[in-house]
Amino acid sequence: ETGVTQSPTHLIKTRGQQVTLRCSSQSGHNTVSWYQQALGQGPQFIFQYYREEENGRGNFPPRFSGLQFPNYSSELNVNALELDDSALYLCASSPRTSGSNEQFFGPGTRLTVL
Amino acid sequence: DQQVKQNSPSLSVQEGRISILNCDYTNSMFDYFLWYKKYPAEGPTFLISISSIKDKNEDGRFTVFLNKSAKHLSLHIVPSQPGDSAVYFCAANPRGGATNKLIFGTGTLLAVQP
């Protein structure tokens, strides 16, 4: 069974640029969530995707957007990058029926905005 | 507004002794509480969860206690092992809304000394 994978591992961008991060969910998991973890903080929920539609969003501006594909993989897109967007971006997947809300996290993508 | 708080940034414990990690929350509308462990360069790994209708859940060396009147939960690890050294995050799932939305605390770095 393959776990959650993310690409790339690290990324450096400059302010104002756009970035796309990718996530492959664990086999059999149809729900994907994205989190942002700033240094010294806990992960913060960005949004969740289920059946290719956004299904819940945290307190993030519209320049954070996403996609989910028929194979349940997902992308996170961030436009007009700001310095504060520098963080570890985590993808998590789960089966829809996870009663305890357990999610399986990937290793993350470290984004640095200069 | 930090709804889930972990007030101890770090904890050091001797191997074989008990580790107690604490977490406080402010919102009474949480359905589940979860503990995740995170090693450097890896994503968070699910440890144990507890439903808001219970006050204790045990899984091997890990026990989570929930005190709803005090809005407090704790994770007990006994006996502690050097491999338990990691950052531990407390997380809560709000009732309703996105099924995968977790609100995380800021984490506690546990160091188990051999």
Side-chain angles (χ1 to χ4, degrees):
Chain A
E1 184 179 83
T2 306
V4 179
T5 60
Q6 292 185 244
S7 63
T9 307
H10 296 89
L11 201 53
I12 300 175
K13 291 284 189 178
T14 56
R15 198 169 42 182
Q17 285 189 310
Q18 178 266 342
V19 69
T20 297
L21 310 182
R22 294 178 174 82
C23 170
S24 291
S25 61
Q26 184 161 320
S27 175
H29 288 184
N30 56 16
T31 303
V32 174
S33 302
W34 286 91
Y35 290 80
Q36 179 196 66
Q37 186 181 7
L39 201 61
Q41 302 296 315
Q44 284 199 39
F45 177 77
I46 302 174
F47 42 54
Q48 170 185 310
Y49 276 82
Y50 172 65
R51 289 188 175 177
E52 302 176 52
E53 297 212 351
E54 187 180 293
N55 181 20
R57 187 178 184 95
N59 189 25
F60 281 82
R63 58 189 186 83
F64 285 78
S65 63
L67 284 173
Q68 185 181 31
F69 301 99
N71 66 355
Y72 305 131
S73 66
S74 177
E75 286 182 356
L76 164 66
N77 298 290
V78 188
N79 293 323
L81 283 167
E82 300 176 0
L83 297 180
D84 284 349
D85 295 334
S86 295
L88 179 68
Y89 288 84
L90 295 162
C91 169
S93 74
S94 69
R96 179 70 169 176
T97 54
S98 173
S100 67
N101 303 102
E102 174 187 349
Q103 297 178 52
F104 297 81
F105 283 83
T109 294
R110 173 72 61 186
L111 173 64
T112 302
V113 182
L114 303 175
Chain B
D1 177 28
Q2 191 73 20
Q3 297 185 60
V4 177
K5 300 178 187 179
Q6 294 177 258
N7 294 317
S8 298
S10 64
L11 175 68
S12 183
V13 170
Q14 286 294 119
E15 180 178 5
R17 306 295 290 268
I18 185 171
S19 296
I20 300 177
L21 298 111
N22 294 303
C23 178
D24 298 296
Y25 61 95
T26 58
N27 188 342
S28 299
M29 300 299 287
F30 288 134
D31 238 356
Y32 275 92
F33 299 90
L34 303 89
W35 285 93
Y36 279 82
K37 176 170 75 173
K38 188 178 186 302
Y39 294 118
E42 294 184 14
T45 303
F46 170 77
L47 268 179
I48 190 170
S49 66
I50 186 167
S51 164
S52 60
I53 63 173
K54 306 222 168 162
D55 52 24
K56 177 182 174 181
N57 188 26
E58 190 172 351
D59 184 2
R61 296 186 298 115
F62 303 93
T63 303
V64 57
F65 295 93
L66 176 61
N67 182 335
K68 286 181 283 294
S69 60
K71 294 191 174 67
H72 177 84
L73 67 155
S74 60
L75 174 68
H76 293 211
I77 306 174
V78 56
S80 301
Q81 301 173 354
D84 295 330
S85 298
V87 176
Y88 287 77
F89 289 101
C90 167
N93 177 246
R95 199 166 298 156
T99 56
N100 279 13
K101 179 178 182 178
L102 292 178
I103 299 174
F104 283 84
T106 52
T108 296
L109 175 62
L110 173 66
V112 180
Q113 310 296 336

